[in-house]
Amino acid sequence: MKSVLKWLAAGVASLLVVVAALYFGTRGDYPVPALVTHDNVLPKQDVLGIALHMETIEGPEGAQTIIVLHGGPGADFQSLRALAALSDTHRIVFYDQRGAGLSERVAANQLTLDGYLAELDAVVDLVSSDRPVVLIGHSWGAMLATAYLGQSPMRVRRAVLIEPGYIDADGRAEWRAQSKHFMSGAGYVTQAVLTGFRAAHVTGPDKWAADDFLIGRMVGMFVRHPENPYHCGSGYTAPGWRFGAAASSAWQGVPDTEVDRIAAGTAYEGPVLLLAGACNSWTGPPLQSQHATLFANAVLSVIPNAGHDVVWDKPESTIMAIRGFLAPDA
């Protein structure tokens, strides 16, 4: 018995040494950008009582409004800012969704599909209450846009859907099965542990910063995994200000019945453009060609030499494709 206790004590002591070495070995400065609730310089707008990081690029007088929806849930619009080039013909509105990017953090019960849809509807009221808008959504943002097409089709003139990951529960199951390949292995686990210790050194600027840092870094490891077809081989380089950990976690727990509600948007009869990066064999052309067949009036455009974030990878080609799609209304 004494021998067992001796070995147990030695094991615990060794573990404590390793933990201490990791903790002190990962000390450093890991800055996290402030939210609009803590930085008064950031452009913001109150929407349904939540402070959203929002930026508007004015176009010609009387121009139709484009609302840009970023990915995630939890990401931000930084990698999509090249779409501001469309302001020569349209008014462009970017915003970080609730609990995401630099927008105000909210309780988990507000991070639901209904919450996001109510927020988008309020943004439409705010920026274009008297005229239908154009929606441009990327990844999760394209899924949110699709759900909105089902809820409020008369408020959308056209929609650009950039690589929605899935639009129903079956699609989510397939996405999850594939994603496991890029969140496993000794290298991934090692980096995950180190990231956890680094997050322990994040002290601000708010109480959500450490979790946002941790999950943001983990998501970065996932999208930049060398075998993940999200990129063209040179790595996934799309930038972001700050990731919303709670927004990401809340969506993971959404039941399949909620996910299936997104598919109602395929009944939308207006013009839809599906965009896909040619390099992405996962959520790229094969999947988006399937999605295109579900809409009554959809076309697919494939952007050469681009991965999942086509706006960041190939902004000129992407904007050219969107301009061609918007031309009839310009």
Side-chain angles (χ1 to χ4, degrees):
M1 184 64 179
K2 289 183 179 180
S3 177
V4 172
L5 291 175
K6 180 179 178 180
W7 282 107
L8 181 60
V12 170
S14 298
L15 179 60
L16 290 175
V17 170
V18 171
V19 169
L22 286 171
Y23 179 80
F24 290 106
T26 55
R27 283 182 302 181
D29 185 18
Y30 303 105
V32 175
L35 306 174
V36 292
T37 48
H38 295 73
D39 185 347
N40 292 328
V41 175
L42 293 169
K44 63 183 177 182
Q45 185 68 50
D46 183 281
V47 176
L48 300 180
I50 300 170
L52 299 184
H53 177 219
M54 183 178 291
E55 182 178 345
T56 300
I57 312 298
E58 296 294 344
E61 184 177 355
Q64 189 172 50
T65 297
I66 292 174
I67 297 176
V68 180
L69 303 173
H70 63 72
D76 56 55
F77 65 78
Q78 188 179 16
S79 71
L80 303 172
R81 296 184 78 188
L83 294 172
L86 296 168
S87 63
D88 59 346
T89 56
H90 290 74
R91 181 183 185 218
I92 317 298
V93 176
F94 299 95
Y95 76 96
D96 290 342
Q97 297 148 27
R98 57 179 59 192
L102 303 181
S103 287
E104 182 176 356
R105 296 299 183 257
V106 299
N109 62 6
Q110 293 180 283
L111 298 169
T112 63
L113 183 58
D114 282 333
Y116 290 118
L117 289 172
E119 179 176 84
L120 175 53
D121 203 47
V123 171
V124 174
D125 280 337
L126 179 68
V127 302
S128 186
S129 61
D130 60 346
R131 186 178 181 184
V133 301
V134 174
L135 294 181
I136 300 180
H138 171 243
S139 195
W140 149 256
M143 296 157 57
L144 176 58
T146 302
Y148 191 73
L149 294 178
Q151 173 182 287
S152 304
M154 300 305 294
R155 307 203 73 181
V156 183
R157 177 70 185 97
R158 291 173 178 266
V160 179
L161 308 178
I162 306 172
E163 293 207 359
Y166 50 83
I167 58 175
D168 57 26
D170 288 341
R172 178 165 77 163
E174 294 176 6
W175 189 93
R176 284 179 165 175
Q178 179 73 1
S179 67
K180 290 179 181 179
H181 299 298
F182 316 121
M183 294 186 289
S184 61
Y188 183 89
V189 172
T190 299
Q191 288 303 312
V193 170
L194 291 173
T195 299
F197 278 95
R198 293 184 183 109
H201 297 290
V202 174
T203 58
D206 51 66
K207 66 180 182 180
W208 302 279
D211 283 347
D212 287 356
F213 173 87
L214 173 62
I215 301 303
R217 288 291 185 94
M218 297 292 288
V219 170
M221 290 163 52
F222 163 71
V223 297
R224 294 179 178 87
H225 190 286
E227 296 178 12
N228 189 332
Y230 266 12
H231 49 75
C232 290
S234 57
Y236 190 82
T237 61
W241 287 298
R242 176 172 171 175
F243 201 84
S248 178
S249 298
W251 183 253
Q252 296 305 314
V254 167
D256 286 348
T257 51
E258 286 293 282
V259 177
D260 277 333
R261 290 174 55 198
I262 298 173
T266 60
Y268 176 71
E269 296 181 352
V272 174
L273 171 65
L274 274 297
L275 282 179
C279 294
N280 186 1
S281 60
W282 180 10
T283 62
L287 179 62
Q288 303 315 321
S289 63
Q290 295 176 31
H291 287 162
T293 65
L294 302 176
F295 293 89
N297 188 12
V299 294
L300 171 65
S301 180
V302 177
I303 306 301
N305 302 312
H308 181 56
D309 199 327
V310 301
V311 176
W312 177 258
D313 289 346
K314 293 294 176 180
E316 297 87 358
S317 301
T318 301
I319 290 168
M320 182 180 299
I322 295 174
R323 284 192 191 280
F325 176 68
L326 298 179
D329 292 339

